[in-house]
Amino acid sequence: MVSIVIYRSRLLRTLNSAALGDLVRTSRVINEVNAVTGILLFDGTYFLQVLEGPDSAVQAAYDRIAHDPRHGQVVKLMQDYAPSRRFPLWGMRLIDVREQPDGFSMANGGADAEPGTRLPTKDRAFRLMQRFASGRWRDHTAEFADPGSWTFEAAQTARFADAPAATLANAPCQFALQPIIDARGHTVASLEALIRSNSGGSPEQVFEGMTPQQRYEFDLACKTHAFALASRLDLGTCKISVNLLPMSLTAVPDAVARLGGLIAANGLSPHQVTVEITEEEAISHFDAFRVALKQLRELGVSIAIDDFGAGFAGLSLLSKFQPDSLKIDRVIVDGIYHDGPRQAIVRAIVECCRAMGITTVAEGVETAEDWCWLEAAGVDLFQGYLFARPTLNGVAPIAWPQPRKNPEAPGAAGF
Ligand code: C2E
Ligand code: MN
Ligand code: MN
């Protein structure tokens, strides 16, 4: 079996042409020993590197590069396997695509292939090489995303600082709040209420042991405690987001009217409330669910699709109904900075949501790198440990991104 990895990286300021020559020579020696073919396309700023050979050698080469400080913005574009090699055993080959103004082609000297070599021009790998050489791929996102130019300084949001942190007395559960923020504008768009048991246990522990119907009833009824918590905060234009199983809206009689009652009883307006729905179940009872959605909208409540991309019905659900906001799941967000396929998917999601007027939210943002990429890609709002952890009965100080005062500081190198 032959493995192929393709990644893109950016030339670092510190790498002059002599150093580049050294890099190529060293790689050639290592690759030849390991039966790896390396093809390095270069456009003056970016590299596209193809690595083909035995799986373990290719992975080892990629890992070495991904951790090599001389490579910047390494993004893996492709990982694939094949029964045999696509490319001849070349060791290492550097191709300057600027020297091929008529369009890149392996056959016409993109590589001086031995006569009779049949190059895989219909192959995904080859298409990625052609796209890179054409320059049409140019990633302006990557050019703006510089994690080294930001610091994250925790600051208590004044309006939330004075909130009484007392637990909800006589409640069957508690709620932890986690902010959903406009990271650049330094504003909190919403606080998501995440259910906890009275001993701080997870959502699964809260619902454990209940029959499905009990779970739906409880899920709906417990929201009064989330609204009570929100009513003690100075929300201003910030909203309170609550999670509901789709069945909590369809299997509980008069669910939406009851939800409206809980909102009013706690002195809130429906315009201050967002209901987050995970896609999974929604689709299977869609007719009943559609009625509930209509009622929620009539009430004035906003709707978010939660965990988008984690389930199996993402686009199907989105084609059936368009929420106010769409929360991109952590499985897509985590590590996006290095992941070409996920970057392409999120770019398409952002574009698609823009076309429909839907706000995009990235969930589970843990690193400055991922945030920078997502922010530059046009994601509107962010939620994650990088900014603030969920906090029982309160709001944690938020670590807002601040432009680094000294751009030459460590971490800024390489961009
Ligand atoms: P969710 O709605 O997607 O909520 C986000 C979850 O991700 C929360 O887990 C939160 O603590 C966690 N999280 C936030 N930022 C990060 C991060 O940067 N990294 C990581 N690794 N995790 C992060 P939690 O509180 O355990 O909730 C899990 C799920 O339980 C929620 O996912 C939601 O689907 C469900 N849930 C929570 N409260 C309720 C509720 O009242 N009713 C219903 N039906 N489901 C609820
Ligand atoms: Mn949620
Ligand atoms: Mn989620």
Side-chain angles (χ1 to χ4, degrees):
M1 186 193 65
V2 167
S3 171
I4 188 162
V5 164
I6 300 184
Y7 68 85
R8 189 177 64 227
S9 66
R10 187 172 176 161
L11 177 68
L12 302 187
R13 280 199 290 267
T14 50
L15 200 64
N16 59 30
S17 62
L20 180 60
D22 286 345
L23 197 74
V24 169
R25 270 187 295 281
T26 320
S27 304
R28 180 174 299 136
V29 173
I30 302 174
N31 288 352
E32 278 172 358
V33 170
N34 294 311
V36 169
T37 292
I39 306 168
L40 189 61
L41 308 191
F42 182 50
D43 70 1
T45 309
Y46 288 92
F47 295 106
L48 184 102
Q49 164 93 78
V50 179
L51 294 167
E52 184 177 61
D55 192 37
S56 58
V58 166
Q59 298 311 328
Y62 178 70
D63 288 344
R64 203 169 54 238
I65 290 151
H67 296 106
D68 183 340
R70 290 172 302 183
H71 288 261
Q73 297 179 1
V74 179
V75 178
K76 196 194 245 190
L77 301 178
M78 177 175 157
Q79 160 87 71
D80 198 13
Y81 306 92
S84 58
R85 287 172 182 273
R86 297 161 170 84
F87 301 103
L89 251 176
W90 275 336
M92 184 73 182
R93 191 166 286 237
L94 177 67
I95 301 169
D96 191 326
V97 298
R98 292 170 297 182
E99 290 162 9
Q100 303 198 3
D102 302 332
F104 171 80
S105 130
M106 293 292 286
N108 74 5
D112 41 336
E114 292 72 11
T117 306
R118 288 172 60 83
L119 290 157
T121 54
K122 292 276 191 284
D123 182 271
R124 263 185 79 206
F126 190 77
R127 286 190 189 161
L128 287 178
M129 294 165 82
Q130 272 182 319
R131 183 166 164 78
F132 177 81
S134 76
R136 280 195 298 270
W137 69 276
R138 273 294 182 147
D139 187 352
H140 301 294
T141 305
E143 278 155 26
F144 291 114
D146 177 1
S149 64
W150 298 93
T151 60
F152 295 81
E153 291 162 27
Q156 183 60 264
T157 306
R159 350 194 267 286
F160 300 143
D162 309 327
T167 52
L168 297 165
N170 304 322
C173 63
Q174 306 290 314
F175 280 92
L177 298 178
Q178 186 180 30
I180 298 170
I181 62 163
D182 170 349
R184 292 267 199 166
H186 289 203
T187 54
V188 183
S190 191
L191 297 170
E192 180 172 7
L194 298 156
I195 201 165
R196 297 290 180 265
S197 74
N198 277 340
S199 55
S202 68
E204 298 79 56
Q205 286 169 316
V206 175
F207 293 115
E208 205 168 64
M210 294 184 194
T211 65
Q213 191 60 32
Q214 284 171 332
R215 193 178 310 147
Y216 305 139
E217 293 276 353
F218 183 81
D219 191 25
L220 188 69
C222 74
K223 295 296 148 2
T224 195
H225 305 296
F227 298 139
L229 186 56
S231 72
R232 302 201 312 230
L233 301 169
D234 174 14
L235 279 183
T237 57
C238 168
K239 295 191 182 216
I240 176 85
S241 299
V242 295
N243 296 278
L244 280 172
L245 296 164
M247 291 285 281
S248 305
L249 291 167
T250 56
V252 177
D254 300 322
V256 174
R258 281 174 61 186
L259 188 73
L262 302 180
I263 294 168
N266 286 288
L268 297 178
S269 148
H271 299 283
Q272 294 175 287
V273 176
T274 297
V275 168
E276 296 192 1
I277 301 290
T278 46
E279 48 182 303
E280 272 180 51
E281 265 182 274
I283 210 84
S284 52
H285 302 87
F286 200 76
D287 288 341
F289 185 58
R290 191 191 287 282
V291 173
L293 289 173
K294 189 171 162 228
Q295 294 171 335
L296 284 171
R297 297 298 299 135
E298 277 168 0
L299 191 62
V301 166
S302 301
I303 299 165
I305 291 184
D306 203 353
D307 303 343
F308 188 76
F312 39 84
L315 289 176
S316 174
L317 183 59
L318 189 56
S319 68
K320 286 196 167 71
F321 104 98
Q322 292 76 50
D324 301 278
S325 57
L326 184 122
K327 301 185 76 179
I328 306 168
D329 195 76
R330 198 168 80 225
V331 300
I332 296 184
V333 163
D334 182 30
I336 197 162
Y337 191 64
H338 293 294
D339 191 315
R342 285 198 261 144
Q343 290 181 357
I345 291 165
V346 168
R347 269 203 213 89
I349 293 175
V350 167
E351 194 51 44
C352 170
C353 284
R354 275 194 183 145
M356 295 187 276
I358 297 170
T359 300
T360 46
V361 183
E363 298 191 287
V365 181
E366 294 185 0
T367 67
E369 283 80 4
D370 288 340
W371 169 68
C372 271
W373 190 89
L374 291 158
E375 180 79 61
V379 171
D380 298 305
L381 302 173
F382 298 87
Q383 180 177 11
Y385 294 171
L386 176 64
F387 306 103
R389 294 201 171 231
T391 302
L392 208 55
N393 300 306
V395 183
I398 298 167
W400 298 108
Q402 308 276 358
R404 196 184 281 278
K405 293 184 186 72
N406 172 10
E408 297 306 317
F415 291 91

